[in-house]
Amino acid sequence: NAIYVVFDRATGAAVAVVDGEALTLRRTAATSLLAARHLARPDARNALIIGTGTLAPYMAHAHARACRLERLWIWGRRGEGAQTLAQRLRDEGLPAQAVEDLEVAVRGADVISCATTSTQPIVRGAWIAAGTHLDLVGGFRRGMREADDEAIARARIAVDTYAGALAEAADIVEPLERGVIERAAIVAELAELVSGTCAGRTSASEITCFKSVGTAIADLAAAQLLLEVAR
């Protein structure tokens, strides 16, 4: 696990030591929360978390803050893992329940958040309903896919950064290389959404997709915020 040491700019002295994994989990979820505020429908009420690993509970809490959720579905390849996570989230006050049928859950979700290390697409574009927001955070290098080409082709796409996503995100790069989508299909990076330079969601029926692979600037911003709170 990475360890971040924060130094005082004026004195050069170390003022804090931060656990890198703990920081990354939180800033990843926070990044998706911020994107969802621009890309998910304001009336989104049903969210689906795909994956039951270390990141999954953070994504669940993030989307619960982004939307006024009435239902929070959890799906994992191992059903017992989904049950365990759903119980944990219920204990933490979220309306979570495990689901077994992924296709049915995808079709009924307003927000779908994938936090897996899958090398093959899990979410099929044919399953996604109009107006859905798709959040892809698990695939951070080439060879990792969470959504199929049809899902990407149907969506209005935003990324955390152009530099990272266009170099490392197979969910974006592979459809680009095969001509499934054009470069113009990636309409914004997160900074442009936040600044208003580029529009997020443009209609209630639009399918939106946010793809993040992580960026050092987000780690820096999270570490600075942590230090300010600690002080």
Side-chain angles (χ1 to χ4, degrees):
N1 293 341
I3 297 293
Y4 295 97
V5 180
V6 182
F7 294 92
D8 184 279
R9 183 178 298 176
T11 67
V15 294
V17 178
V18 181
D19 181 278
E21 182 181 25
L23 188 74
T24 297
L25 291 170
R26 288 163 175 80
R27 65 91 166 146
T28 300
T31 298
S32 286
L33 185 162
L34 186 58
R37 286 177 171 166
H38 294 272
L39 296 169
R41 297 196 326 269
D43 64 345
R45 295 293 179 266
N46 303 331
L48 168 63
I49 306 298
I50 298 177
T52 60
T54 307
L55 182 56
Y58 295 90
M59 303 309 299
H61 279 284
H63 286 293
R65 292 182 69 89
C67 307
R68 290 182 293 174
L69 294 183
E70 296 174 355
R71 299 178 185 86
L72 176 62
W73 296 318
I74 310 297
W75 183 88
R77 294 189 186 279
R78 295 185 303 107
E80 61 271 24
Q83 292 285 355
T84 298
L85 177 57
Q87 182 61 61
R88 169 184 168 180
L89 293 171
R90 286 196 297 273
D91 292 343
E92 295 169 352
L94 298 184
Q97 67 180 75
V99 293
E100 296 182 358
D101 192 321
L102 179 60
E103 179 179 347
V104 170
V106 168
R107 289 183 182 277
D110 301 315
V111 175
I112 302 165
S113 183
C114 294
T116 75
T117 56
S118 179
T119 58
Q120 298 295 327
I122 301 171
V123 176
R124 304 291 171 181
W127 301 345
I128 301 176
T132 300
H133 173 54
L134 179 60
D135 176 45
L136 303 176
V137 302
F140 54 87
R141 62 173 178 260
R142 297 294 293 267
M144 302 175 74
R145 291 291 302 266
E146 295 187 300
D148 69 3
D149 285 357
E150 183 176 353
I152 300 302
R154 294 182 64 196
R156 178 178 177 84
I157 303 166
V159 297
D160 55 349
T161 65
Y162 294 125
L166 294 176
E168 302 172 6
D171 279 306
I172 303 299
V173 175
E174 289 183 3
L176 276 172
E177 290 177 342
R178 290 196 299 272
V180 174
I181 61 173
E182 300 294 330
R183 171 61 182 81
I186 299 92
V187 299
E189 61 180 6
L190 186 58
E192 293 172 323
L193 292 179
V194 173
S195 69
T197 304
C198 294
R201 173 173 292 275
T202 60
S203 73
S205 62
E206 189 172 50
I207 294 171
T208 57
C209 175
F210 177 66
K211 175 60 197 166
S212 66
V213 294
T215 172
I217 195 170
D219 286 325
L220 176 60
Q224 288 176 327
L225 177 60
L226 179 62
L227 189 58
E228 289 173 10
V229 171
R231 285 174 170 168

